[in-house]
Amino acid sequence: MLELRNVSKIVGGDTHIRDVSLAVERGTLNVLLGPTLAGKTTLMRLMAGLDVPTTGSVWFDGADVTGVAVQKRNVAMVYQQFINYPAMTVYENIASPLRVAGAAADQIDKEVRRAAELLRLSPYLERTPLNLSGGQQQRTALARAIVKNAGLVLLDEPLANLDYKLREELRDELPKIFAESGAIFVYATTEPHEALLLGGNTATLSQGRVTQFGSTIDVFRNPVDLVTAQTFSDPPLNTIDVVKAGAAFELGHGVRLKAVDGFAALADGAYRAGFRPHHLALESPSPDAGELTATVTVTELTGSESFVHLDFAGQSWVMLAPGIHDFEVGSQIRAFIDTRHLMIFDAHGRTVAGVDAGTGRGGHDGQD
Amino acid sequence: MNKPWNNKAWFLVLPVLALVAFSAAIPLMTVVNYSVQDTFGGNQFFWAGTEWFEEILSSDRFWAAMGRNLVFSGIILAIEVPLGILIALNMPRRGWGVSVCLVLMALPLLIPWNVVGTIWQVFGRIDIGLLGRATWALGIDYNYVNDPFDAWITVIVMDVWHWTSLVVLLCYAGLVSIPDAYYQAARIDGASRWAVFRYIQLPKMKRVLTIAILLRFMDSFMIYTEPFVVTGGGPGNSTTFLSIDLVKTAIGQFDLGPAAAMSLIYFLIILLLSWVFYTVMTNYDAEK
Amino acid sequence: MARIELDHIRHSYLAHPARDDDYALKEVHHVFKDGGAYALLGPSGCGKTTLLNIISGLLHASEGRLLFDGEDVSHYPTEARNIAQVFQFPVVYDTMTVYDNLAFPLRNRGVGEAEVERKVRETLDMIDLNDWADRKAQGMTADQKQKISLGRGLVRSDVNAILFDEPLTVIDPHMKWVLRSQLKLLHKRFGHTMVYVTHDQTEALTFADSVVVMYEGEIVQIGTPADLFNRPRHTFVGYFIGSPGMNVMPVSVAGRQARFGEETIELPGTPKTPMGGAIELGVRPEFVRIGHRGMPATIHKVEDIGRQKIVRAVVNGHAVAAVLGEDGEIPAEPRVSFAPEGINIYAGSWRVDYENASEGEAA
């Protein structure tokens, strides 16, 4: 188990990491999700031992490893750039950590072939990395990390430089590879969609803080605060200031959303409401849905779905509607907010009543 | 605070400290010692206080040498920097020409300073030197031994020949780091050759150019070997720079006190320049 | 603005191309309409960037002609073509202010300061950077820098086309949404001819009225996003567009029926005969229904990706992916069926039309 205890990193007066406590278990995949400069790479460097925290400590399997150099930690790292030894064959590239460790020749051969099989590199073992496609180069780097048999494997946006189709394939393969290895995997990404496809656990990062850590789908469905919900939303989360009065949230302009289930008991007052683009619909998804009229700013079509960008009372929203709907710019359309999936935040941005609070639908279904 | 302390590191630093003490600190203290005393040989010393410093700072000879240093540095910077940029801009970016140019540019930098001096000393001689004979044949009255102006020309041309390459190489490094997209964007924007230089190449070279200017300034300010070999500081005192003057005072006249005071002043000037150099560099990093 | 004609263009990076494989860009013959928004979509190495560079003049095609509004510009240098381009990595003039960056292309062309002022202010409004006019471009965020690059194109009234070379690569997901929709809006309002190169299907589909899908140096399909989704002309289009991509399975066809192993699948129309090459049935995961009717299936894995669930099933020994809604349920003994409007038949990887076209296209 890798544990960060109250870790902070301050460089020249700038706080890069702010009091992070995080524990990740062996055999798990842990996604660090956050925008550029949120502190993902810094956190990984602290985990690896490439950097020493300004305050706080790093523990590995019950031992304090704060300040222990990376060379002594059995850590493997894969970067956004495809980093391989250009003059060596793929075979030698994969074998290199084993050679450094002084493994026997027959063991090296066995391990290399196993990793190559796992990453579908067997036909390319005799080629040099520069004669491979980007995806194959990155798979070579991954294979090298796997054979190292490291206790901790850090992947810093490893798929960012690949075609999205290749990304899709590798994303599909990675969890299987991770499951077999038994190491701790930490995977940094800026893309919420990628985190969801990878599954496992997710820690959302914002301005050097870990805002939430838990099973990926649970963090997605039940964010603890507004920042987490926004970090973990692509397309962006729709938000609006509301006033709870009696059994409804008032959005202004005469629009009222019924306070369903868990929200009914909420004290009256000012809140901020959030809902995801696919919970804004052209047709009423439930009898309790809230109806409103909004102005279309622009429509984007994907072939099977439409992203309708809307303006409601000065707020920019996105609606994700199934089917093709090419609305005229500036036209007024009716839209429905699915109140069953509403998130409500207090003045400090904390979630006061979750999406699933009263509905009894767990957030963990379907997780393999 | 959990910052790990590791005292082993001190043992690694110790040998370096000892070395620095022997090579720098102790000689420096000896110089300080000389600078505040008077001696008539035979290891007899008398306390002189700040007398030597006052004498040096009020001597015309010192300020004249200092002036010559500044003029020299100014001239060579005014020539080497634009010339260096011009050559760097015209060097090929890809293909076999790159390595040929780089080797040619690196050659003068690889020659020891005194050899450079000797080469030019011979090269410029009117009796056997190619340059001297050629100018003489062309009817130009060139003689660096007698004419102060010719001596200056010789020393400057020699320095330009020796050191422009450094500016070229640094600028070239800056230029090749500019992504192709910038040049393409400039073509699309209809930028002139001058605009490309002014708004793309110069800003990208700014950092290396600062280093080049500071390095060349410090180096030229400390110049000794080449003019000493070629002109020996003459004719008269016309090419006597601070460093040459210092050696003349110390070894030629055996005035150890004034020489020591002079080296300390010289040392402080260089220290000041290094500080400027360091500040400019670090400010650059802070900006980034 | 201009109509861009690609007249039998081929390009090879070799000096003496002999075989078809020597061409990075095999024959392209196509017209980009005046004021259209086009996307060139394909994996890396498919020739899309080569094609873009040929249009911008950074590359001269080995064969064929390029015409802007009927004028042959094949041999014009970049600066004479009056195009604008936004690159993958933001290109701004660091030492200039945002205002001067935008004024730069105008001043280079000798436009008077009064006109420069008017155009630059107008463009700053368009790209929402008016408040930043006097700031140095250095130190601005990547998305702002990309807006400046775009602004340098928009500011010129004579610009023939604006080209984009994967402009959102270095932009964070949240800002991508903002920039993309702004771009779409700018196109709707001002109607520039725009050509956008990308390997990202979402960017291509949401941006373009017409998407050009390229594969190994060839255009495999040109169509609206809906065409590409519903009627992929080639199995590659089915695979490359959509995630997960289209399910493709070997079948035999007899009349209006397809045999898939032991199962019979009703087709929306009768595929035209004769068909050459291997016969396959393609159906997108969005058209795969999981319920109590159809072919028996084994579910391997359900990936909950938030707003959807991706179901990985095996039907008749073949992997089939299906997409379920957020609240979709899988019955105890799941069966799989295909929605008829989503079924396409392929012969040798190319789509086969149905005999009575209206029959199949009804969807």
Side-chain angles (χ1 to χ4, degrees), chain C residues 57-69:
Chain C
L58 298 172
L59 212 61
H60 292 274
S62 323
E63 294 164 34
R65 295 187 310 153
L66 177 73
L67 298 101
F68 285 0
D69 277 341

Side-chain angles (χ1 to χ4, degrees), chain C residues 21-43:
Chain C
D21 279 353
D22 292 344
Y23 286 89
L25 195 64
K26 288 159 200 159
E27 191 158 299
V28 172
H29 188 66
H30 183 62
V31 176
F32 293 125
K33 288 199 199 92
D34 188 3
Y38 295 88
L40 304 180
L41 175 68

Side-chain angles (χ1 to χ4, degrees), chain A residues 212-253:
Chain A
Q212 189 171 355
F213 178 62
S215 105
T216 300
I217 199 73
D218 190 42
V219 175
F220 178 79
R221 290 247 162 81
N222 304 307
V224 295
D225 55 22
L226 180 58
V227 173
T228 307
Q230 283 171 328
T231 305
F232 209 154
S233 193
D234 182 34
L237 187 77
N238 301 316
T239 60
I240 187 162
D241 287 322
V242 296
V243 175
K244 167 110 192 308
F249 294 103
E250 290 175 358
L251 275 65
H253 299 260

